[in-house]
Amino acid sequence: MLSLGDNSLDLIGPPWADQEPDAAAISQEEVRRLRRLISNRESARRCRLRKQRRLEELRARVGRLRANNSDLADQLGRLARQCLFVRRNNDHLRAEASALWRRLDDLRRRMLSLRQLHHFVAPPPPFAACDYEQAWASLIA
């Protein structure tokens, strides 16, 4: 093991180098290179850890989004069924309203025909002043 100030380096050399290099024989450039190498390895390790945390966060988010998507799909299905029910009910009510309007129109025509027939068979008597006032008073009351 080679000690460089406050950093400790474990040097793993090639298989033919069985002995530890002499600390005095290492140049300043070699020391800088080794420190840079250690710094780069540590930086790469931190980068891998950040990447791993980010990947775990994304996987958790995917799980939440899938669950949310499933809930929304269920809600959409319920709303589609409700919409179909309301449309069918609306169609039924429109058909019923149309039938009632036709029936009302038929009744109005019958009533008009009966009035015309009644006036034709028995015309109304002429109003006396007293009868006119009574008829007007009954309409107001």
Side-chain angles (χ1 to χ4, degrees):
M1 181 161 97
L2 175 63
S3 178
L4 299 173
D6 59 346
N7 292 337
S8 296
L9 299 176
D10 288 331
L11 296 178
I12 300 174
W16 61 85
D18 288 340
Q19 48 186 317
E20 196 173 297
D22 188 10
I26 297 177
S27 70
Q28 279 300 106
E29 292 176 17
E30 184 67 15
V31 170
R32 278 186 292 225
R33 186 187 72 77
L34 291 174
R35 284 185 181 162
R36 196 169 43 249
L37 178 73
I38 292 170
S39 175
N40 286 346
R41 286 182 181 173
E42 182 61 27
S43 178
R45 185 185 68 80
R46 287 190 308 266
C47 183
R48 285 190 301 272
L49 289 175
R50 280 193 307 269
K51 184 177 179 181
Q52 186 177 8
R53 279 193 303 267
R54 177 70 174 143
L55 185 60
E56 290 170 4
E57 290 170 3
L58 289 174
R59 285 182 178 153
R61 184 176 179 199
V62 165
R64 289 190 306 270
L65 290 173
R66 283 187 176 158
N68 191 21
N69 191 27
S70 177
D71 292 343
L72 289 173
D74 292 344
Q75 185 179 2
L76 178 63
R78 283 191 305 274
L79 290 174
R81 288 188 297 276
Q82 287 177 353
C83 182
L84 181 62
F85 173 76
V86 167
R87 285 178 188 247
R88 286 181 180 168
N89 195 22
N90 194 24
D91 291 343
H92 173 74
L93 291 174
R94 284 184 183 185
E96 188 177 336
S98 179
L100 289 172
W101 277 110
R102 285 190 303 272
R103 185 173 173 197
L104 180 62
D105 191 43
D106 183 50
L107 289 173
R108 284 180 181 161
R109 276 189 261 120
R110 285 183 184 186
M111 197 162 73
L112 181 61
S113 296
L114 287 175
R115 281 184 185 161
Q116 289 173 348
L117 182 62
H118 180 68
H119 285 296
F120 180 70
V121 172
F127 281 110
C130 176
D131 292 334
Y132 178 74
E133 290 173 4
Q134 287 176 353
W136 185 252
S138 69
L139 288 174
I140 294 175

